[in-house]
Amino acid sequence: MNTCSHETEGTAEMQKLCISIVPIFNHLDAAEMREIVKETHAISHERGHTIYRAGENSDGLYIVHKGRIKIYRLSDNGKEQLVRILEPGDFTGELSLFSESVHNAYAEALEPVELCVMGRDDFQQFLLKYPAIALKVLTEFSTRLAKTEKQAASIAMESTETRVAIYLADLVEEQKRSDITLPMSRKDLASHLGTTPETVSRKLTDFEQAGWIRQSGQRDIVILDLDALLLA
């Protein structure tokens, strides 16, 4: 499949919107935001395109404006381990902002994506000029670390059934409704939960037969009995 990266129409407006939705920048005033917009450039990628690979030089910040990106690692035997899914307002490549480094994971477009990109040198200058940005970045690092530790503890200590149930309950809270949509494929969900796609499908079928959920296709699920699900 051929993929491309190119300047999009309405680049300036897209960059402005892109910067305004990312948490590390959205506290700035209009003049400060315009200053940052000038130092970013817009790119787009088709679905399935690998934006960067493990081992490649990491030299900038990638901010998602539209679409979703999968960040994952590969084990020695080639098995994927999902790290996280990026949605509009999320960013990646942040480790390069503090030192020259290489990517330790892969980034793949799950659908057509539009990104705003800022080079390391430019971002470092903004960190010095606006220290509040650095505090926002540290807050994001802390949040990601907490999620990673929670995920690792869950894989080590909870049964697969419990991990799937807790994940569904978390989606109910996140999406604020009982008819939820899985944000990733079952293959990626299995990787995220430390199991196999077949096991995920089997557990979902078990939950449905118990009357706790109702499935509609591969992604849409209605939670019928959240309390029973959490006791799984």
Side-chain angles (χ1 to χ4, degrees):
M1 177 180 179
N2 293 326
T3 57
C4 65
S5 170
H6 59 275
E7 293 291 329
T8 61
E9 295 181 3
T11 295
E13 184 62 23
M14 179 193 130
Q15 289 168 254
K16 179 180 177 181
L17 292 171
C18 192
I19 295 301
S20 69
I21 63 173
V22 68
I24 60 174
F25 294 133
N26 63 11
H27 61 287
L28 300 174
D29 63 33
E32 293 168 342
M33 209 169 284
R34 284 195 297 271
E35 184 180 357
I36 288 179
V37 165
K38 292 178 182 178
E39 303 304 330
T40 66
H41 64 277
I43 60 174
S44 63
H45 295 287
E46 297 176 2
R47 177 185 177 186
H49 181 74
T50 299
I51 299 166
Y52 60 71
R53 294 175 170 81
E56 292 181 345
N57 288 333
S58 177
D59 57 3
L61 185 74
Y62 298 79
I63 302 169
V64 183
H65 177 233
K66 290 184 179 179
R68 296 183 303 133
I69 295 174
K70 175 174 69 173
I71 307 296
Y72 66 95
R73 295 190 177 96
L74 290 179
S75 65
D76 292 339
N77 62 8
K79 183 178 179 180
E80 278 190 19
Q81 175 59 58
L82 182 69
V83 177
R84 60 183 177 273
I85 301 292
L86 302 181
E87 299 186 341
D90 292 331
F91 59 89
T92 184
E94 63 277 358
L95 294 181
S96 71
L97 303 175
F98 301 98
S99 64
E100 293 187 15
S101 64
V102 296
H103 292 291
N104 60 4
Y106 296 78
E108 178 185 320
L110 291 176
E111 54 195 59
V113 297
E114 293 180 356
L115 306 173
C116 294
V117 183
M118 180 185 295
R120 179 178 60 247
D121 292 341
D122 291 326
F123 191 79
Q124 287 177 340
Q125 291 301 313
F126 285 120
L127 289 177
L128 294 173
K129 188 171 184 179
Y130 304 115
I133 295 176
L135 293 176
K136 290 280 188 176
V137 172
L138 290 174
T139 298
E140 177 64 20
F141 284 175
S142 177
T143 300
R144 289 184 182 181
L145 179 59
K147 288 182 178 178
T148 299
E149 290 180 343
K150 179 181 177 182
Q151 180 184 356
S154 176
I155 291 174
M157 301 174 63
E158 304 287 357
S159 68
T160 302
E161 186 173 58
T162 299
R163 296 201 298 273
V164 175
I166 290 175
Y167 180 80
L168 295 179
D170 286 345
L171 283 184
V172 170
E173 181 177 356
E174 178 184 319
Q175 299 181 11
K176 302 187 184 309
R177 60 179 189 269
S178 59
D179 53 328
I180 58 175
T181 300
L182 297 178
M184 62 188 81
S185 68
R186 296 195 180 187
K187 174 186 173 184
D188 289 334
L189 177 57
S191 174
H192 178 67
L193 297 177
T195 185
T196 65
E198 294 77 16
T199 299
V200 168
S201 293
R202 187 167 63 251
K203 295 304 178 185
L204 291 175
T205 297
D206 290 344
F207 294 164
E208 187 167 39
Q209 291 176 345
W212 302 341
I213 69 171
R214 182 173 66 247
Q215 300 184 75
S216 177
Q218 291 293 304
R219 297 285 186 93
D220 296 325
I221 297 174
V222 178
I223 306 301
L224 302 175
D225 192 337
L226 182 59
D227 291 337
L229 190 63
L230 289 173
L231 292 174

